[in-house]
Amino acid sequence: MRAGPVALVALFAALVGGGAVLGIGKATGWFRGTTRTVFVTETAPATPTSGPVVSTVKPLLGNGFDPARIYATRSPGVVTVYALFDTPDGRAAQGSGFVVSRGGLILTNAHVITDAGESVGPVRAARQIYVEFGDRDRIPARIVGWDLFDDVGVLRVDSGAHSLVSLPLGESSTVRVGEPVAAIGSPFGNENSLAVGVVSAIHRAIGSLTSNYDLVDAIQIDAPINHGSSGGPLFDAAGRVIGINAQIRSVSGTAEGVGFVVPIDSARRSLNQLVATGSVAYAYIGVTSEDLTPTLARHLGYPVARGALVDSVIAGGPAAKAGLRGGGRHVDFDGQTVLVGGDVIVAIGDSPVTSAEDVGRIVGGRLSPGQKVSVEVIRAGRRSSFEVRLGVRPLSPDGTR
């Protein structure tokens, strides 16, 4: 993981760090009655359910992009999320979400339903959660769980309390730059608002709002993600959900054409783990690394053009136990300072590694804790292979929990 310059650019959740954060309490009339919020922490067990969540909703027919049709057919499945926290000022938050099963499961962002990223110490969940549908009917929800690494939250509502329209989940791995997209959410509390644009970039590695790790494979879009849109769905032309709207990058705090979306492939993995066990578990290798590019490789005399330069190996971590080595000296080259002398990872299992992001993508996205995997490296100009037993990802990249 490599830190880049901030340069006056602030990263905003879709409303002030985590949904629409509002300093108001029960007297506003937003929260009527009471409900007991039930949630499962990252370490607590939960009763397993039967199999993964599977959507049976069919995509829209036709090849054209028709935002009006997407809105008409999909907006009934989008909800506004209201969260009330145990704070002296009766702090509330507003975000968005969407129904993914007729059994009452709803996807949103973790930062909408928790205080992750806003305070030091253990993450606290909202005391009460309500979801409001397009017809203004509001019902209580409970928290199933959350994934801090990918900023995914899962809610459940009583399926008999309101008619539910489940939305079909697509595949973010097939998304291409330039394709049209539609986002539905509740910016500034304006429920069921439509925004359209195109995919500006894919495979972005961005800082997570809720953890100390990068969120890899984020989708960048130019459709506005304004305050309160966090947790809403991003649709492709066929009306399939390809991501969860999560962040804006802005110097003013408002949408400026650079929004970031959690890919639905990652969110689906989080959803299934949270529903099955109430927690998520990511594999962990215990290294920090940076890109080895062709020009840098030639300058340093490496026999490969691309890979992940290992900066450091976390003491006591899986890579350290397997014998991988980090860098020991700094080199200035082409306006950048590079830590050299360590291994260059070129493959993990059967997957080639061409960048630092690949390490997190492969280990966190494709492998499991406890799994043994072969890690191929370049060391002293020669290829070597090490067998690494992967661990469970800690809350911080340096190995601390």
Side-chain angles (χ1 to χ4, degrees), residues 140-284:
R142 67 180 180 89
I143 299 176
V144 175
W146 59 81
D147 176 358
L148 298 182
F149 300 121
D150 274 354
D151 195 8
V152 175
V154 180
L155 303 173
R156 188 186 289 276
V157 297
D158 180 357
S159 59
H162 192 280
S163 61
L164 300 177
V165 177
S166 179
L167 301 184
L169 305 185
E171 296 182 5
S172 51
S173 61
T174 64
V175 172
R176 297 292 179 264
V177 174
E179 71 175 82
V181 288
I184 300 179
S186 302
F188 307 111
N190 296 299
E191 73 282 347
N192 271 13
S193 297
L194 173 70
V196 298
V198 298
V199 174
S200 303
I202 56 176
H203 303 313
R204 289 295 197 209
I206 61 172
S208 170
L209 293 172
T210 51
S211 79
N212 293 319
Y213 292 84
D214 282 349
L215 171 64
V216 297
D217 288 336
I219 302 169
Q220 180 182 327
I221 61 173
D222 69 349
I225 301 178
N226 281 299
H227 302 320
S229 297
S230 277
L234 182 73
F235 297 97
D236 64 11
R240 297 170 295 207
V241 179
I242 56 173
I244 304 176
N245 303 317
Q247 299 180 16
I248 58 173
R249 181 160 292 179
S250 172
V251 295
S252 66
T254 59
E256 294 180 1
V258 184
F260 294 101
V261 179
V262 177
I264 201 61
D265 292 353
S266 299
R268 183 188 288 108
R269 176 195 60 208
S270 303
L271 169 66
N272 288 327
Q273 287 194 37
L274 291 170
V275 170
T277 68
S279 63
V280 294
Y282 285 67
Y284 174 71

Side-chain angles (χ1 to χ4, degrees), residues 257-343:
V258 184
F260 294 101
V261 179
V262 177
I264 201 61
D265 292 353
S266 299
R268 183 188 288 108
R269 176 195 60 208
S270 303
L271 169 66
N272 288 327
Q273 287 194 37
L274 291 170
V275 170
T277 68
S279 63
V280 294
Y282 285 67
Y284 174 71
I285 191 171
V287 301
T288 63
S289 60
E290 56 188 306
D291 295 343
L292 177 67
T293 59
T295 303
L296 181 61
R298 287 194 297 271
H299 177 74
L300 298 175
Y302 285 110
V304 294
R306 293 190 180 275
L309 270 172
V310 178
D311 288 339
S312 64
V313 177
I314 308 304
K321 293 177 180 178
L324 270 69
R325 298 177 184 172
R329 61 188 178 89
H330 290 91
V331 172
D332 292 326
F333 178 71
D334 281 354
Q336 60 183 333
T337 300
V338 183
L339 187 60
V340 301
D343 295 328

Side-chain angles (χ1 to χ4, degrees), residues 85-169:
F85 292 82
D86 271 328
T87 58
D89 61 353
R91 172 183 172 272
Q94 177 261 308
S96 302
F98 55 98
V99 180
V100 294
S101 80
R102 293 182 178 177
L105 291 174
I106 292 174
L107 271 176
T108 184
N109 284 135
H111 74 258
V112 171
I113 59 175
T114 72
D115 66 352
E118 294 186 6
S119 60
V120 178
V123 172
R124 294 175 297 180
R127 177 170 56 86
Q128 292 176 307
I129 301 283
Y130 295 90
V131 297
E132 186 174 286
F133 296 85
D135 61 3
R136 301 296 182 90
D137 197 17
R138 184 180 299 186
I139 62 175
R142 67 180 180 89
I143 299 176
V144 175
W146 59 81
D147 176 358
L148 298 182
F149 300 121
D150 274 354
D151 195 8
V152 175
V154 180
L155 303 173
R156 188 186 289 276
V157 297
D158 180 357
S159 59
H162 192 280
S163 61
L164 300 177
V165 177
S166 179
L167 301 184
L169 305 185

